[in-house]
Amino acid sequence: MSVIPDTQPAPQVPAADQTLRILAFLSRQRGPVAARTIADQLGIPRSSVYHLLHAMAAHGFVVHLEAERRWGLGTAAFELAGGYARQQPLARLGRPLVASLADRTGESAHLAVMSGRDVVYIVEERAPRRPALVTDVGVRLPAHLTATGRAMLAALPREQVRALYPDAAVFADRTGQGPQNPSALRAILREARTTGYATEDGEVTLGFRSVGVAVRDHAGWPVAAVAVTWQGGEVDPARLAAAVAPAAAELARRIG
């Protein structure tokens, strides 16, 4: 058993301290883990871990994958991540990169973060003489329909995606296009993993297409995604993806 040593003073609220340690531990993992692993790694009694996990699950901070007997972060944890991003750090660092991307491609560009099963746009840069888009700052859209959302979902552990999209009932629709069940989404995400970028074609707004690339932190976790949106079908998505990828990589470098 490998126990992380506790060199800090004894917490005055042990349950709160243990809850935060569990959430921090889960955020560093590449996928859901067993409760026993959490207990062993953190040196918390297994019975306490189970009680705390069930309490966090009731509030959406963790999810239990019963078939695998593992626990992962829930949608409420993603809400916290999105809230942090909306309070400026990512937006401040990403804004000049998104503006430069719009200048270089001649198309509108944006930066988004995950929030539950949605993406929230935190930077929007409209290119000259390009139509207004629905992706204004603060707008929420279903992640499975957007290029930014798909790019981030493709970078998540597959178990985490299953927890977010357990069945067809959670799939929202905007234009009558796009995945409507988990298997259709899995096919889209497999392609995104293969190519290194995600696309959407008319699933957010008819006649518009987008390509997005995930921004990963030092642990490989997708904290955001950069995308470009254009009108019509004459542009090669791979060409624009080649312009988006350096912007995403540079933002990843800046956030460390």
Side-chain angles (χ1 to χ4, degrees), residues 102-120:
D103 288 342
R104 285 186 287 110
T105 62
E107 304 291 350
S108 297
H110 39 262
L111 175 68
V113 296
M114 286 284 291
S115 180
R117 281 188 288 267
D118 292 339
V119 295
V120 179

Side-chain angles (χ1 to χ4, degrees), residues 56-141:
M56 286 187 277
H59 292 278
F61 285 95
V62 300
V63 291
H64 186 211
L65 306 179
E66 295 185 12
E68 293 92 350
R69 297 183 179 180
R70 293 172 180 265
W71 298 80
L73 292 176
T75 56
F78 284 106
E79 290 282 357
L80 287 179
Y84 172 78
R86 290 191 295 276
Q87 291 174 20
Q88 286 306 311
L90 268 175
R92 186 175 63 251
L93 292 171
R95 187 169 291 109
L97 295 171
V98 172
S100 176
L101 179 61
D103 288 342
R104 285 186 287 110
T105 62
E107 304 291 350
S108 297
H110 39 262
L111 175 68
V113 296
M114 286 284 291
S115 180
R117 281 188 288 267
D118 292 339
V119 295
V120 179
Y121 293 90
I122 61 174
V123 176
E124 169 77 11
E125 188 72 28
R126 192 193 309 177
R129 297 179 297 281
R130 290 296 185 263
L133 304 173
V134 299
T135 52
D136 286 334
V137 173
V139 168
R140 301 173 70 102
L141 290 174

Side-chain angles (χ1 to χ4, degrees), residues 160-184:
Q160 203 76 48
V161 176
R162 285 203 299 271
L164 287 170
Y165 295 90
D167 52 50
V170 302
F171 284 78
D173 174 68
R174 281 180 58 88
T175 65
Q177 302 184 39
Q180 298 181 358
N181 54 61
S183 62

